[in-house]
Amino acid sequence: MKQDSRLSATLHVLLHMADRGAPMTSEELAACLGTNPVVIRRTMAGLRETGLVRSEKGHGGGWTLARALDTITLGDVHRALGEPALLALGHRSENPQCLVEQAVNAALGEAFVEAEALLANRFDRVRLSDLAADFSRRFDERRQIHAKHDHTL
Amino acid sequence: MKQDSRLSATLHVLLHMADRGAPMTSEELAACLGTNPVVIRRTMAGLRETGLVRSEKGHGGGWTLARALDTITLGDVHRALGEPALLALGHRSENPQCLVEQAVNAALGEAFVEAEALLANRFDRVRLSDLAADFSRRFDERRQIHAKHDHTL
DNA sequence: ATTTCATGTAACACATAAAGTTACATGAAA
DNA sequence: TTTCATGTAACTTTATGTGTTACATGAAAT
């Protein structure tokens, strides 16, 4: 099953935006991910509608965070992306007539619901500020090893 | 994300085989799922290699369970299918240089590992006999409602 | 005003993987 | 030797994330 990396990519982009503090263009953000600017605009569209980010056209324009890092959870971002499916496994058919399939759905469904709840729960508990803090920790760690430093990534 | 329903389909098929007690052809099994016989053979190939089922050619041939229902777990079936990915979400890249992406991977990865462990754990705990018992319960329940009965599904 | 820069969006092409289909070889029983 | 069933390759179909091109819209700089 091919995996959906939009959540991962979007978190990456949001942290870069926070780190910058000034508007970043789709082109700059695309460079962070090694992808195309249109992919950025397309993905960010949902976040803009949800009020997580703002976009400005023209000179000095680009993307900025609309809320503080500690008020945005991974769950917020996931929902803003349209709540893509968390699990790669699914039922062969919902509401089957066949009793065998009903039993299969019941057994698998229980596991699916639990796993989805676990993920949703975690996503709602982790905030972007937590990721930023982890980034800072890694940054300081690296700076201790090398003598040089460059907060631009 | 398109979901993988092979585990669901295979469990369905295995329970029908157990219910029958005699070899079932790919065509019969395909009819249970409303699909093509070749899809059945292709999917069951992994189970045969793992020793969960046997297949016989020619007259009176078909597919039979090679082990008792209470010795086969959902995990066994999942592994026999080649351990398809459980989660639809993934990292944008493994082992990234970018510290931001490392922080993202760390946060998401923790959630991913937990969810996968939960599913794997459940799969290893649930046996086909559990599903068969649930099927029987549903069957009896339906028989109480309707007066008629037909154990062929 | 005009140019430049940036987003907004449509309309494609591309990649991957599950699922479905056709065709035919292999082998076992009638 | 005919019939039935699996074994398997090769192809098509479908769905979806991803990438690309093209162009309209609008805001700031000149």
Side-chain angles (χ1 to χ4, degrees):
Chain A
M1 168 82 27
K2 201 168 67 175
Q3 296 191 315
D4 183 344
S5 65
R6 277 175 297 180
L7 179 58
S8 171
T10 304
L11 295 175
H12 187 156
V13 154
L14 291 175
L15 290 179
H16 273 289
M17 283 166 56
D19 190 54
R20 174 74 67 88
M24 288 185 76
T25 67
S26 305
E27 196 161 1
E28 288 171 314
L29 294 171
C32 293
L33 300 185
T35 184
N36 192 293
V38 178
V39 175
I40 299 290
R41 297 195 197 112
R42 185 194 291 153
T43 307
M44 300 294 278
L47 304 220
R48 185 184 51 232
E49 285 165 23
T50 321
L52 296 183
V53 299
R54 270 191 286 267
S55 62
E56 296 289 341
K57 292 179 177 178
H59 279 91
W63 300 88
T64 46
L65 280 173
R67 285 161 41 183
L69 285 185
D70 61 356
T71 68
I72 303 178
T73 67
L74 304 199
D76 292 331
V77 178
H78 179 248
R79 279 183 290 276
L81 290 173
E83 286 197 84
L86 299 172
L87 301 187
L89 269 44
H91 296 320
R92 215 182 54 79
S93 77
E94 309 295 330
N95 301 51
Q97 290 297 308
C98 174
L99 293 182
V100 168
E101 185 140 14
Q102 284 181 20
V104 171
N105 280 9
L108 288 179
E110 221 176 313
F112 292 168
V113 166
E114 275 188 25
E116 280 175 338
L118 183 150
L119 284 170
N121 222 291
R122 266 200 92 93
F123 285 177
D124 282 338
R125 242 190 273 285
V126 178
R127 292 170 296 185
L128 291 190
S129 50
D130 298 324
L131 300 202
D134 185 38
F135 160 70
S136 288
R137 193 183 54 71
R138 290 169 190 273
F139 182 73
D140 292 343
E141 204 169 77
R142 169 185 282 182
R143 198 175 53 173
Q144 282 187 350
I145 298 173
H146 310 71
K148 66 186 175 192
H149 42 73
D150 179 12
H151 211 280
T152 305
L153 297 171
Chain B
M1 169 80 28
K2 200 167 73 174
Q3 297 191 313
D4 183 344
S5 64
R6 278 176 297 177
L7 179 58
S8 171
T10 304
L11 295 175
H12 188 157
V13 154
L14 291 175
L15 290 179
H16 274 290
M17 285 166 54
D19 190 55
R20 174 72 68 87
M24 289 185 74
T25 67
S26 304
E27 195 161 1
E28 289 172 314
L29 293 171
C32 293
L33 299 184
T35 183
N36 192 292
V38 177
V39 176
I40 299 291
R41 297 193 198 114
R42 185 194 293 153
T43 309
M44 300 293 278
L47 303 220
R48 186 183 51 232
E49 285 164 22
T50 321
L52 296 183
V53 300
R54 270 191 287 267
S55 62
E56 295 290 340
K57 290 181 177 177
H59 280 89
W63 299 88
T64 46
L65 280 173
R67 284 160 43 181
L69 285 184
D70 62 356
T71 68
I72 302 178
T73 68
L74 303 199
D76 291 331
V77 178
H78 180 247
R79 280 183 288 276
L81 290 172
E83 287 195 82
L86 299 172
L87 302 186
L89 269 46
H91 296 321
R92 216 181 54 78
S93 77
E94 309 295 330
N95 303 51
Q97 290 297 308
C98 173
L99 292 183
V100 169
E101 184 138 15
Q102 285 181 18
V104 171
N105 280 9
L108 289 178
E110 221 176 312
F112 292 168
V113 165
E114 275 187 24
E116 280 176 337
L118 183 150
L119 284 170
N121 222 289
R122 265 200 93 92
F123 284 177
D124 281 338
R125 243 189 271 286
V126 178
R127 291 169 296 184
L128 291 191
S129 51
D130 298 325
L131 300 201
D134 186 39
F135 160 69
S136 289
R137 192 182 56 69
R138 290 168 190 272
F139 183 73
D140 292 343
E141 205 169 77
R142 170 185 281 181
R143 200 175 53 171
Q144 283 186 349
I145 299 173
H146 310 71
K148 66 187 176 192
H149 41 75
D150 179 12
H151 211 280
T152 308
L153 296 170

